Amino acid sequence: MSVALQSGPGSNVSDYAHGTGFINWWGWDPVAMDRTYLANVTAPVRRGATVLQVSSTKGMSVGEWVRINLDDPGDGSLVEDMNDGMLPSGQNQKGAKSIIRHLSRISQMGTGWIR
């Protein structure tokens, strides 16, 4: 049985056309400054850069994964910059905390930086 894109199960919006896509994970998200905070990024980073300057590398090791949480400064510029200006940010994205979360494995590190 096929389902039209405009009539997804349980709603009037298709998960395929306007939703979260094909794969969804549900459950507890441990992002909380009091439990998972390791450091702040301390310097601007250009698109394509592979090194982050950080306030501390305590608790980090080469080979481990880190999650970088990005907050919008309040004007919607983070989402627009991450999309190279091709997608304007929505009102609900302006000032949003942890709106972009990026996972990366640490391949090298030194005093005050990780790659």
Side-chain angles (χ1 to χ4, degrees):
M1 169 187 285
S2 65
V3 177
L5 289 180
Q6 65 271 20
S7 60
S11 73
N12 291 329
V13 178
S14 165
D15 281 339
Y16 303 106
H18 304 288
T20 55
F22 296 104
I23 301 173
N24 298 300
W25 283 271
W26 302 100
W28 180 63
D29 186 357
V31 174
M33 294 299 279
D34 63 334
R35 290 190 301 268
T36 61
Y37 170 81
L38 293 173
N40 286 323
V41 175
T42 58
V45 182
R46 291 193 178 277
R47 184 183 301 270
T50 60
V51 173
L52 287 179
Q53 302 296 319
V54 294
S55 59
S56 172
T57 56
K58 183 179 178 183
M60 299 182 208
S61 301
V62 171
E64 290 186 338
W65 288 89
V66 292
R67 178 162 60 177
I68 302 161
N69 297 316
L70 298 132
D71 299 340
D72 183 82
D75 59 3
S77 61
L78 176 62
V79 171
E80 291 179 21
D81 289 347
M82 293 298 287
N83 290 298
D84 202 21
M86 299 177 76
L87 180 67
S89 63
Q91 282 300 111
N92 63 332
Q93 297 169 325
K94 294 179 180 179
K97 301 292 183 198
S98 296
I99 190 166
I100 296 175
R101 299 172 184 177
H102 174 77
L103 292 170
S104 187
R105 188 182 297 253
I106 299 172
S107 63
Q108 294 177 310
M109 59 188 293
T111 303
W113 64 272
I114 60 174
R115 169 172 291 153

